[in-house]
Amino acid sequence: MEQRSPSVDDFPDGFPASTRVFRTDGEIQVPFRHIALSAGEPAVEVYDTSGPRGVAGSQGLPKLRQPWIDRRAARSDTNVTQMHYARGGEITEEMRFVALREGVTPEFVRGEVACGRAILPANHKHPEAEPMIIGRHFLVKVNANIGNSAVSSTIDQEVEKLRWAVRWGADTVMDLSTGRQIHETREAVLRNSPVPVGTVPIYQALEKVKGKIEDLDIEVFLETLAEQAEQGVDYFTIHAGVLLRYVPLTAKRITGIVSRGGSIMALWCLAHHQENFLYTHFERICELMKKYDIAFSLGDGLRPGSTADANDAAQFAELETLGELTQVAWRHHVQVMIEGPGHVPMHKIRENMDRQLTICHEAPFYTLGPLVTDIAPGYDHITSAIGAAMIGWYGTAMLCYVTPKEHLGLPNRDDVKSGVIAYKIAAHAADLAKGHPGAAARDDALSRARFAFRWEDQFNLALDPDTARAFHDESLPAPAAKGAHFCSMCGPQFCSMRITQDLRDQVAEGLRTKAAEFRASGQELYPPVE
Amino acid sequence: MEQRSPSVDDFPDGFPASTRVFRTDGEIQVPFRHIALSAGEPAVEVYDTSGPRGVAGSQGLPKLRQPWIDRRAARSDTNVTQMHYARGGEITEEMRFVALREGVTPEFVRGEVACGRAILPANHKHPEAEPMIIGRHFLVKVNANIGNSAVSSTIDQEVEKLRWAVRWGADTVMDLSTGRQIHETREAVLRNSPVPVGTVPIYQALEKVKGKIEDLDIEVFLETLAEQAEQGVDYFTIHAGVLLRYVPLTAKRITGIVSRGGSIMALWCLAHHQENFLYTHFERICELMKKYDIAFSLGDGLRPGSTADANDAAQFAELETLGELTQVAWRHHVQVMIEGPGHVPMHKIRENMDRQLTICHEAPFYTLGPLVTDIAPGYDHITSAIGAAMIGWYGTAMLCYVTPKEHLGLPNRDDVKSGVIAYKIAAHAADLAKGHPGAAARDDALSRARFAFRWEDQFNLALDPDTARAFHDESLPAPAAKGAHFCSMCGPQFCSMRITQDLRDQVAEGLRTKAAEFRASGQELYPPVE
């Protein structure tokens, strides 16, 4: 593994012992965050989503993938999807990048993309993105939603939210803007995003028809897709599974339809008493998406909005249709993931995963939480991290974060951080539970630092070093306390870790003494029977 | 159900629509928090741990249980445990209280206590406590740890932490003080605690021998127990399962022994090369405890302190001994619960529960988390709430909270609140997943309020109304927004809930139209075959 000499200010704030380094196969360069440790301990390198440094928002990130895209364009390919290449046996630069990033072979990546078990979202109009993969045989990923609404926020704020989200580890972002300047906001986000960007195009399509749902049609939708495709959006949430006949199945729910896109399409179906045009014209959408390599995120428009509504007939009926559409998209070699709930009590989570795998032919699952109870608005990053960790363990490939503001308001900077960190916890816990190779290395390094009272190493290995350090400072602010063999919880006399270290010395000493006694006694392990 | 007329200032801050009410069987009065709702919705009543109001710390709470205790004392009972009475077929006032509190029959409570599947911790020297029960067929409970250490906090601060913890829903508290004024702190906590109080007596015993672990013995330990028993401690954590032969099993762990009590006893065993005196003199301890009705919380001194050490030989060896001691205690009719880990990755949690139930003969399990990853110091209320929810669902009866300061420092007021709320979420999620009768009522009421845009009802039903309201105010501070049929997340045009309500009107209208057409056409449901 070759490493570029890192500059010391690579992670100027918050990650003081970290530098950005690269792993390479000789050509492709994949960034990692290198965490230096003390006391001769080997450094720990972690997956890094934060992207290139020191670029002004107006300038945009360097176009990492442009040479790869240009080389393929020179061949006049008309289907440019990673799935198309994978099925043709071609290992792309994006697959090699992902292989280095995940620590697997390029051929393994190709195989997973070819069979649809993983997606590599990579619109060739978004060359700034560092390739990443979403599939259950890879690290569990986290998406962060950003975007303004009619009542809040500016373009600069959204770019700042994007940077903040990837700094804490978001693997993709979705720009869910519905307000003014929807095109300009998306452009600024895309040009500054080192991670794939998803959108829900129906929001902008609805703006185009001035909010009149019944005026939506496939033409205005395709026009919207074309506009966003040209900008570089990497995946589209499309609610093509909300069929007319499913709408009455939601009538007796406590919370009806809570997906915005789902409710729009349901109302359209009823207004026209016609089938969802996203469903009836699905192949036209595929035709467009394969020219750019945009992945489907097939939206769960009928997902439950309360634990009471989980796993009901409406939800599972839609899932069947998403499974059918998955196969249509795959015929076009268009990549697909499937969106999932939402609000689900713990005992009903597993069924969601099992059904999705069967019905959707192992296409990656991408869930929003799920929240495991409805009684804690203000803390839904926690209610949902519980469900997210579990469903990640069961096989969900990407977790859409939920912030503390869920159900209450738009997330600000602090909320984005809280949401991403809660979801990095859930995703990592899932990786551990799945026995993902190497996932335990960071836990073990941190635990060794903890046991050896290497406080600074413990902070530096944490998901959020500043917060860990600040909490320690609150009780023991003296710099010397960072070398102390105890902490404020127990004080020096009651420190179990210090006592255990004394104990280890005694056990080792005891074994030596016993061994010496044994040897001195002239005994044998199995004395002859008398 | 009779209700005392509540005073309006019962919940003066934070719970504006709540009043303290009582359910009664004619004699016993059990408090609940009554949450009034708008729009003709029925009120929701929730379990309330917050205790009597308006009592100065110096005065102490009223002695609710004194008449019951006196009546039994008049009979000259020498074994006063709830288990003893239950096994004798007697339904105590405490059992009746618990039955009203949990919505089950007194006979069911008696049966669960008699067989040891549940405990009702109730030292007769702590008459201020409102009876509660810990068992997997009841609501999952939450313990909050408080207590000073050598480097921090005062008696008044600890009483304030106690009140704060029960205000947010802690079902028991443990006073883990190790610093100065250990007796006085405990006295102040007990006299002001409406919930059972637990301690780890070895800490004070160690103070009595000036911190010299090798000077500990059963006499100083029993003397400590007697002192704390007289004060009214309801359950004792006792690390009687740390046997000499188990200590070397921890030698290759990453984090050795992380239980303070466990490390003390391990060092004692090695220092004397003798068996743990808590184990060898266990029946003397039982003799003392049955005179007061103090429950054992058999400590897991060898619990894992990192995910790497989970489910290892040391941990499970100790569990076998705890199972053996459970039966010894039960012979004395002393109530028992079993402490559990700690740090356990998700895929190893279930084994902890299954083994504990088998080995410990269904005695209630009381776990600390478990944390499902080690990489997030500063957020361990979240890493552990994930494990706590899961193990609660699997059957753990009480969850010991973890605050954001875990591993870093002593929790302050904010940390106590964060910890209790994260654990109320975990416990309630477990109740839902177990299908506990009535558990979903609060979720459903809140979801109905959410769908109907009854914002104030949504806040008032939340675990933390102030925070929910404050988050909503951040985006839409105008009082009128609390009646708005949208929020800042989507704005008015994209509100899925508003659209769904339009939709419902259309579906209803559509059904009426179709029905009219059907009737007008003169068709029959099953027309005669032609």
Side-chain angles (χ1 to χ4, degrees):
Chain A
M1 179 181 49
E2 191 188 313
Q3 288 181 2
R4 191 193 61 160
S5 168
S7 58
V8 288
D9 61 349
D10 263 340
F11 289 87
D13 53 343
F15 298 102
S18 288
T19 44
R20 190 164 158 100
V21 298
F22 292 83
R23 292 187 192 171
T24 180
D25 60 4
E27 184 186 10
I28 309 284
Q29 298 239 320
V30 180
F32 283 82
R33 185 160 62 87
H34 176 97
I35 306 172
L37 301 178
S38 65
E41 284 284 317
V44 172
E45 288 185 3
V46 298
Y47 195 106
D48 179 36
T49 58
S50 60
R53 295 294 182 282
V55 181
S58 54
Q59 184 187 346
L61 296 180
K63 298 184 188 304
L64 167 73
R65 294 169 55 230
Q66 200 60 56
W68 317 339
I69 294 165
D70 290 344
R71 201 173 314 148
R72 293 191 296 255
R75 305 189 308 208
S76 306
D77 296 349
T78 54
N79 187 330
V80 300
T81 74
Q82 295 288 322
M83 186 180 220
H84 182 70
Y85 296 124
R87 289 190 166 185
E90 181 174 345
I91 291 175
T92 61
E93 288 86 347
E94 286 85 351
M95 295 174 202
R96 287 165 54 196
F97 191 102
V98 159
L100 284 163
R101 210 167 192 184
E102 300 267 349
V104 297
T105 66
E107 175 53 27
F108 181 76
V109 174
R110 190 202 61 75
E112 293 289 298
V113 172
C115 74
R117 208 149 45 207
I119 68 169
L120 201 165
N123 185 334
H124 69 214
K125 296 285 188 177
H126 183 204
E128 298 89 347
E130 295 170 340
M132 54 80 69
I133 195 161
I134 301 166
R136 74 182 197 281
H137 294 150
F138 300 93
L139 290 162
V140 175
K141 303 305 187 295
V142 171
N143 172 70
N145 290 336
I146 60 173
N148 57 9
S149 83
V151 298
S152 180
S153 86
T154 68
I155 291 179
D156 285 349
Q157 282 172 346
E158 293 312 313
V159 171
E160 184 46 35
K161 265 189 213 166
L162 157 74
R163 290 180 169 183
W164 189 238
V166 298
R167 178 192 198 282
W168 293 110
D171 294 285
T172 77
V173 297
M174 290 194 76
D175 176 7
L176 302 186
S177 295
T178 56
R180 288 174 299 275
Q181 299 190 290
I182 192 166
H183 183 97
E184 295 73 15
T185 302
R186 189 169 49 238
E187 185 66 24
V189 166
L190 276 160
R191 298 290 74 79
N192 287 284
S193 179
V195 300
V197 174
T199 61
V200 187
I202 199 78
Y203 300 165
Q204 191 184 5
L206 189 55
E207 304 273 2
K208 285 177 192 277
V209 296
K210 300 190 170 33
K212 292 189 70 175
I213 290 173
E214 56 274 30
D215 288 354
L216 286 167
D217 62 24
I218 188 65
E219 302 308 333
V220 72
F221 190 76
L222 285 171
E223 177 193 300
T224 307
L225 289 194
E227 173 187 334
Q228 298 197 11
E230 277 294 321
Q231 286 188 293
V233 173
D234 300 284
Y235 61 89
F236 287 146
T237 293
I238 295 187
H239 298 93
V242 179
L243 300 191
L244 177 60
R245 64 180 180 276
Y246 300 159
V247 178
L249 297 177
T250 66
K252 290 192 174 156
R253 283 179 159 185
I254 286 189
T255 45
I257 299 176
V258 296
S259 151
R260 287 187 247 172
S263 64
I264 292 166
M265 293 317 301
L267 200 64
W268 187 93
C269 291
L270 287 196
H272 292 270
H273 209 79
Q274 280 179 17
E275 196 50 277
N276 182 336
F277 62 81
L278 302 172
Y279 177 82
T280 54
H281 295 277
F282 191 71
E283 300 212 54
R284 290 181 68 189
I285 299 171
C286 293
E287 291 295 345
L288 183 145
M289 289 169 77
K290 69 188 179 193
K291 288 187 203 144
Y292 294 87
D293 196 8
I294 301 168
F296 277 109
S297 186
L298 289 176
D300 55 336
L302 303 182
R303 68 169 176 269
S306 54
T307 50
D309 293 343
N311 295 21
D312 72 351
Q315 183 194 333
F316 287 141
E318 182 185 34
L319 189 63
E320 295 280 348
T321 301
L322 300 186
E324 176 197 331
L325 294 173
T326 297
Q327 292 192 303
V328 175
W330 284 353
R331 281 205 301 273
H332 292 267
H333 298 180
V334 174
Q335 306 188 89
V336 177
M337 61 181 168
I338 308 292
E339 296 186 8
H343 294 240
V344 185
M346 283 189 285
H347 63 302
K348 293 187 176 176
I349 291 177
R350 176 121 228 170
E351 185 184 6
N352 278 274
M353 190 69 232
D354 291 348
R355 284 204 191 215
Q356 189 273 339
L357 284 178
T358 306
I359 294 171
C360 298
H361 319 284
E362 301 193 63
F365 206 21
Y366 166 33
T367 63
L368 180 68
L371 287 72
V372 297
T373 168
D374 304 311
I375 67 169
Y379 298 84
D380 280 331
H381 59 312
I382 299 179
T383 64
S384 68
I386 294 169
M390 291 174 68
I391 206 162
W393 170 29
Y394 298 155
T396 288
M398 185 156 78
L399 306 169
C400 182
Y401 87 167
V402 172
T403 78
K405 286 276 170 59
E406 185 73 16
H407 301 115
L408 300 168
L410 273 181
N412 62 22
R413 188 178 160 91
D414 286 345
D415 299 317
V416 167
K417 177 180 171 184
S418 296
V420 173
I421 287 182
Y423 273 69
K424 292 301 282 184
I425 289 169
H428 185 74
D431 289 334
L432 283 181
K434 293 201 298 186
H436 195 86
R442 186 173 180 178
D443 297 75
D444 296 351
L446 194 147
S447 296
R448 277 192 295 272
R450 183 171 279 161
F451 189 66
F453 300 100
R454 286 184 278 109
W455 290 100
E456 291 293 344
D457 287 352
Q458 189 184 155
F459 305 148
N460 291 332
L461 285 161
L463 282 182
D464 180 2
D466 280 351
T467 296
R469 189 176 285 106
F471 282 0
H472 189 261
D473 283 349
E474 254 183 57
S475 306
L476 293 173
K482 299 292 181 289
H485 278 208
F486 63 90
C487 71
S488 62
M489 283 171 286
C490 311
Q493 179 170 291
F494 285 91
C495 177
S496 63
M497 298 235 188
R498 187 191 56 71
I499 296 173
T500 304
Q501 292 186 345
D502 293 353
L503 208 81
R504 284 204 175 161
D505 297 343
Q506 293 204 17
V507 170
E509 177 56 30
L511 289 174
R512 276 193 295 278
T513 311
K514 288 284 170 199
E517 283 171 11
F518 183 80
R519 284 192 302 273
S521 70
Q523 285 177 67
E524 295 176 37
L525 198 58
Y526 299 100
V529 179
E530 292 182 13
Chain B
M1 180 182 48
E2 192 187 313
Q3 289 182 0
R4 191 192 63 161
S5 167
S7 57
V8 286
D9 61 349
D10 262 341
F11 289 86
D13 52 345
F15 298 103
S18 288
T19 44
R20 190 165 158 99
V21 299
F22 293 83
R23 291 186 192 171
T24 180
D25 60 5
E27 184 185 11
I28 309 285
Q29 297 239 320
V30 180
F32 283 82
R33 183 160 65 85
H34 177 98
I35 306 171
L37 301 179
S38 66
E41 284 285 316
V44 171
E45 288 185 3
V46 298
Y47 195 106
D48 179 36
T49 58
S50 60
R53 295 293 183 282
V55 181
S58 55
Q59 184 187 344
L61 297 180
K63 298 185 189 303
L64 166 73
R65 294 168 56 230
Q66 201 61 55
W68 316 339
I69 294 164
D70 290 345
R71 200 173 315 147
R72 293 191 295 256
R75 306 190 306 210
S76 307
D77 296 348
T78 54
N79 186 331
V80 299
T81 74
Q82 295 289 322
M83 185 180 220
H84 182 70
Y85 296 124
R87 290 191 167 185
E90 182 174 347
I91 291 174
T92 62
E93 288 86 348
E94 286 84 351
M95 296 174 203
R96 286 165 54 197
F97 191 103
V98 160
L100 284 164
R101 207 166 194 187
E102 299 267 350
V104 296
T105 66
E107 176 54 26
F108 181 76
V109 174
R110 190 202 61 75
E112 292 289 297
V113 172
C115 73
R117 209 152 42 210
I119 68 170
L120 200 165
N123 185 335
H124 69 215
K125 297 285 186 176
H126 183 203
E128 298 90 347
E130 295 169 340
M132 53 79 70
I133 195 160
I134 301 165
R136 75 180 196 283
H137 294 150
F138 300 92
L139 291 163
V140 175
K141 303 305 188 295
V142 171
N143 171 70
N145 291 335
I146 60 172
N148 56 9
S149 82
V151 297
S152 180
S153 87
T154 69
I155 292 178
D156 285 349
Q157 282 172 344
E158 294 311 313
V159 171
E160 183 47 34
K161 266 189 212 165
L162 156 73
R163 291 180 169 182
W164 190 237
V166 298
R167 176 192 199 282
W168 293 110
D171 294 285
T172 77
V173 296
M174 290 193 76
D175 176 6
L176 302 186
S177 295
T178 56
R180 288 174 298 276
Q181 300 189 290
I182 191 166
H183 183 97
E184 294 74 14
T185 301
R186 189 168 49 239
E187 185 67 24
V189 165
L190 276 159
R191 299 290 73 80
N192 288 285
S193 180
V195 300
V197 174
T199 62
V200 187
I202 200 78
Y203 299 165
Q204 191 184 6
L206 189 56
E207 304 272 4
K208 285 180 191 276
V209 296
K210 301 189 171 31
K212 293 190 68 176
I213 290 173
E214 57 273 30
D215 288 355
L216 286 167
D217 62 24
I218 188 64
E219 302 308 332
V220 73
F221 189 77
L222 286 170
E223 178 192 299
T224 308
L225 290 194
E227 174 187 333
Q228 299 196 11
E230 277 294 320
Q231 286 187 291
V233 174
D234 300 283
Y235 62 90
F236 287 147
T237 292
I238 295 187
H239 298 93
V242 179
L243 301 191
L244 178 60
R245 65 180 180 275
Y246 300 158
V247 179
L249 298 178
T250 65
K252 291 191 175 157
R253 283 177 159 186
I254 286 189
T255 46
I257 299 176
V258 296
S259 150
R260 287 188 248 174
S263 65
I264 292 166
M265 294 317 300
L267 199 65
W268 188 94
C269 290
L270 287 195
H272 292 270
H273 209 79
Q274 281 178 17
E275 197 48 277
N276 182 336
F277 63 81
L278 302 171
Y279 177 81
T280 55
H281 295 277
F282 191 73
E283 299 212 54
R284 290 181 67 188
I285 300 171
C286 293
E287 291 294 344
L288 183 145
M289 288 168 79
K290 70 188 180 192
K291 288 187 201 144
Y292 295 87
D293 195 8
I294 301 168
F296 277 108
S297 185
L298 289 176
D300 56 336
L302 304 182
R303 69 170 175 268
S306 53
T307 50
D309 293 344
N311 295 21
D312 72 351
Q315 183 195 333
F316 287 141
E318 181 185 35
L319 189 63
E320 294 281 349
T321 301
L322 301 185
E324 175 197 332
L325 294 173
T326 298
Q327 292 191 302
V328 175
W330 284 353
R331 280 205 301 272
H332 293 268
H333 298 180
V334 175
Q335 305 187 91
V336 178
M337 61 181 167
I338 308 292
E339 296 186 8
H343 294 239
V344 185
M346 284 189 285
H347 63 301
K348 293 188 176 176
I349 291 177
R350 177 122 228 170
E351 184 183 7
N352 278 273
M353 191 70 231
D354 291 349
R355 283 203 191 216
Q356 188 274 340
L357 284 177
T358 306
I359 294 171
C360 298
H361 319 284
E362 300 193 62
F365 206 22
Y366 166 34
T367 62
L368 179 68
L371 287 71
V372 296
T373 168
D374 305 311
I375 67 168
Y379 298 83
D380 279 332
H381 60 312
I382 299 179
T383 64
S384 67
I386 294 169
M390 290 174 68
I391 206 162
W393 170 29
Y394 298 155
T396 288
M398 186 157 76
L399 306 169
C400 182
Y401 87 167
V402 171
T403 79
K405 286 277 170 60
E406 185 74 15
H407 301 115
L408 299 169
L410 274 180
N412 62 22
R413 187 178 160 91
D414 285 345
D415 299 318
V416 167
K417 177 180 170 184
S418 297
V420 173
I421 287 182
Y423 273 69
K424 293 301 283 184
I425 288 170
H428 184 74
D431 289 335
L432 283 182
K434 293 200 300 187
H436 195 86
R442 187 173 180 180
D443 297 75
D444 295 351
L446 194 146
S447 295
R448 277 192 295 272
R450 183 171 280 161
F451 189 66
F453 300 99
R454 287 185 276 109
W455 289 99
E456 290 294 344
D457 288 352
Q458 189 184 157
F459 304 147
N460 291 333
L461 285 161
L463 283 182
D464 180 2
D466 280 351
T467 295
R469 188 175 286 105
F471 282 1
H472 188 262
D473 283 349
E474 253 182 59
S475 308
L476 293 174
K482 299 294 181 288
H485 278 208
F486 63 90
C487 72
S488 62
M489 283 171 286
C490 311
Q493 178 171 293
F494 285 91
C495 177
S496 63
M497 298 233 189
R498 185 193 56 72
I499 296 173
T500 303
Q501 291 185 346
D502 292 353
L503 208 80
R504 283 203 177 163
D505 297 343
Q506 294 206 16
V507 170
E509 176 57 29
L511 289 175
R512 275 193 296 276
T513 310
K514 289 282 169 198
E517 283 172 10
F518 183 81
R519 284 191 302 271
S521 71
Q523 285 178 66
E524 295 177 35
L525 198 56
Y526 301 100
V529 179
E530 292 182 12

